[in-house]
């Protein structure tokens, strides 16, 4: 049976890395084989493209070229990591995916949605997420968390954008979640870590594990 595909989205410092890891650990404890991955990156080719994008050297080439670079990275990631894992029955937990392109490249570069959707069709194919969490925090909180975590290291290509940009992103994620309410669940990321983790787990149990328990044997914790 094909594995389940769960993605995490949201602004900078909203807790995606924290909660992708926590969910993968909890699923493993239930005997579910998981692959934890991220975008941009998650495969050898995509990690090279990640470095190019986040260093900012592609910024002068324009928002459309950056969008195409994200798509090239995704194509490699889906072919080399995500699709083989799902086909093998593993669950894939991914930190950022298509909704980041829809929101960031649309908001940042006003890239034509037709281009974004066409690239999505080519790169993603059947590997659409079964469930997506948007971790929602005000931009000021997320940026402050990310700054604390970064310490003295320099801000990357996107962290260095103005706070208004990050607030626009937050709104855009919420609009997207409203439009695709069947797939996307918004979680208040301001709550304490363990509360956020419990809300995520409850949703996974309700939406994915409930169905699975009817057809598949799951190892006891
Ligand atoms: N991007 C794009 O433009 N288009 C695309 O298609 C894709 C991506 C796929 C990737 O950056 C950048 O690429 C991203 C969008 C763009 N840029 N931005 N901005 P990245 O991978 O380097 O970083 P990120 O995805 O933005 O994530 P992040 O900064 O690593 O944050 P996070 O993963 O959401 O948060 P975290 O690391 O789990 O938590 C941050 C800190 O807060 C950390 O110290 C935690 O311990 C703490 N934390 C977490 N949860 C809590 C709670 N609940 N309370 C208090 N503190 C907490």
């Amino acid at each position: 049976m094909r594995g389940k595909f769960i993605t995490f989205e949201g602004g900078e410092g909203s807790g995606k890395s924290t909660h992708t890891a926590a969910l993968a650990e909890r699923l493993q404890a239930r005997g579910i084989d998981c692959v934890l991955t991220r975008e941009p990156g998650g495969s050898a080719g995509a990690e090279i493209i990640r470095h190019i994008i986040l260093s900012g050297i592609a910024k002068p080439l324009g928002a459309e070229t950056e969008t195409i670079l994200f798509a090239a990275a995704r194509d490699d990631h889906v072919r080399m990591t995500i699709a083989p894992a799902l086909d093998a029955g593993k669950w894939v937990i991914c930190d950022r995916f298509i909704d980041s392109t829809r929101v960031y490249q649309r908001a940042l570069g006003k890239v034509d949605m037709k281009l974004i959707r066409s690239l999505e069709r080519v790169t993603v194919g059947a590997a659409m997420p079964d469930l997506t969490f948007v971790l929602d925090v005000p931009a000021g909180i997320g940026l402050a968390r990310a700054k604390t975590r970064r310490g003295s290291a320099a801000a990357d290509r996107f962290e260095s954008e103005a706070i208004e940009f990050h607030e626009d992103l937050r709104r855009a994620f919420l609009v997207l979640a409203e439009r695709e309410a069947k797939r996307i669940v918004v979680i208040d990321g301001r709550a304490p870590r363990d509360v956020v983790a419990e809300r995520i787990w409850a949703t996974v149990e309700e939406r994915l594990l409930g169905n699975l328990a009817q057809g598949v044997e799951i190892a006891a914790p």
Side-chain angles (χ1 to χ4, degrees):
M1 192 202 288
R2 178 191 183 268
K4 300 290 179 195
F5 184 21
I6 305 175
T7 58
F8 281 70
E9 301 278 3
E12 183 78 9
S14 55
K16 298 176 303 300
S17 311
T18 305
H19 291 289
T20 46
L23 177 61
E25 201 177 305
R26 207 153 171 182
L27 287 167
Q28 299 275 13
R30 284 280 294 262
I32 294 175
D33 205 355
C34 283
V35 171
L36 180 58
T37 187
R38 67 167 180 188
E39 285 211 349
S43 61
E47 287 293 331
I48 296 170
I49 300 173
R50 174 186 176 91
H51 177 71
I52 294 169
I53 298 171
L54 295 190
S55 68
I57 56 173
K59 186 176 173 181
L61 301 176
E64 286 189 352
T65 302
E66 277 188 321
T67 306
I68 291 165
L69 284 172
F70 277 113
R74 180 160 303 135
D75 189 56
D76 195 61
H77 185 211
V78 169
R79 279 187 302 109
M80 304 307 287
T81 306
I82 297 175
L86 293 174
D87 290 345
K90 296 178 187 172
W91 287 36
V92 176
I93 317 291
C94 188
D95 184 341
R96 295 196 182 281
F97 196 59
I98 49 170
D99 302 302
S100 282
T101 312
R102 292 177 184 180
V103 164
Y104 277 76
Q105 277 56 62
R106 181 81 187 132
L108 184 64
K110 308 282 174 269
V111 174
D112 189 341
M113 211 53 192
K114 279 189 200 147
L115 173 66
I116 292 175
R117 295 284 184 166
S118 312
L119 290 169
E120 201 175 290
R121 270 194 301 279
V122 175
T123 56
V124 174
M128 270 301 285
D130 297 292
L131 175 62
T132 296
F133 290 104
V134 166
L135 301 185
D136 178 51
V137 295
I141 294 180
L143 289 172
R145 282 185 191 166
K147 192 169 175 217
T148 307
R149 191 206 44 205
R150 188 171 73 236
S152 57
D156 73 24
R157 153 81 179 88
F158 297 96
E159 283 165 13
S160 41
E161 294 288 336
I163 187 145
E164 293 75 21
F165 164 72
H166 291 278
E167 279 299 351
D168 283 351
L169 294 178
R170 182 187 182 202
R171 278 191 289 275
F173 274 120
L174 295 176
V175 168
L176 199 56
E178 241 178 70
R179 279 201 203 126
E180 298 200 25
K182 271 194 173 163
R183 173 175 65 90
I184 305 178
V185 175
V186 179
I187 303 273
D188 184 351
R190 288 170 300 187
R193 249 168 285 221
D194 53 341
V195 173
V196 176
E198 276 314 314
R199 288 179 184 158
I200 290 169
W201 183 247
T203 308
V204 169
E205 279 201 309
E206 184 196 318
R207 297 209 176 192
L208 302 179
L209 286 169
N211 297 339
L212 203 67
Q214 288 161 18
V216 170
E217 198 175 307
I218 297 170

